[in-house]
Amino acid sequence: MTGPHARVLILGGGDGLAAREVLRYGGVRRVDVVELDPGLIGLARNDPGLSALNGHAFADPASASPRRTPSPGCAGRRRRRTTS
């Protein structure tokens, strides 16, 4: 990482492994993780093996509480089949 990196956004990093790497940098003050699958975040927090792998990244005070954020425009959207 180059340049200022006090705040970091991780998209799809529910396993916490990317957060673990980002939190190694001394200048990082906040990490936001956006994950579509809340089950993965729960697993990363509570599974002893995965939690050990991610260095307990979600317990770090710099990690903002991970949350499931629905993607605008995708929720409830279906493709229409067209026939020609």
Side-chain angles (χ1 to χ4, degrees):
M1 293 182 358
T2 60
H5 46 266
R7 294 182 67 191
V8 178
L9 173 64
I10 299 173
L11 302 175
D15 58 12
L17 299 174
R20 174 196 66 194
E21 294 302 314
V22 166
L23 289 167
R24 291 182 180 190
Y25 289 87
V28 173
R29 299 288 175 247
R30 180 182 169 116
V31 176
D32 290 302
V33 176
V34 177
E35 174 60 55
L36 292 175
D37 184 357
L40 182 57
I41 293 172
L43 185 66
R45 281 185 167 169
N46 301 317
D47 180 76
L50 186 52
S51 185
L53 279 175
N54 68 32
H56 307 281
F58 293 133
D60 190 296
S63 283
S65 180
R67 61 193 175 276
R68 181 181 185 277
T69 304
S71 175
C74 292
R77 189 174 171 185
R78 293 186 180 161
R79 287 187 179 187
R80 288 187 200 170
R81 286 187 96 172
T82 58
T83 56
S84 13

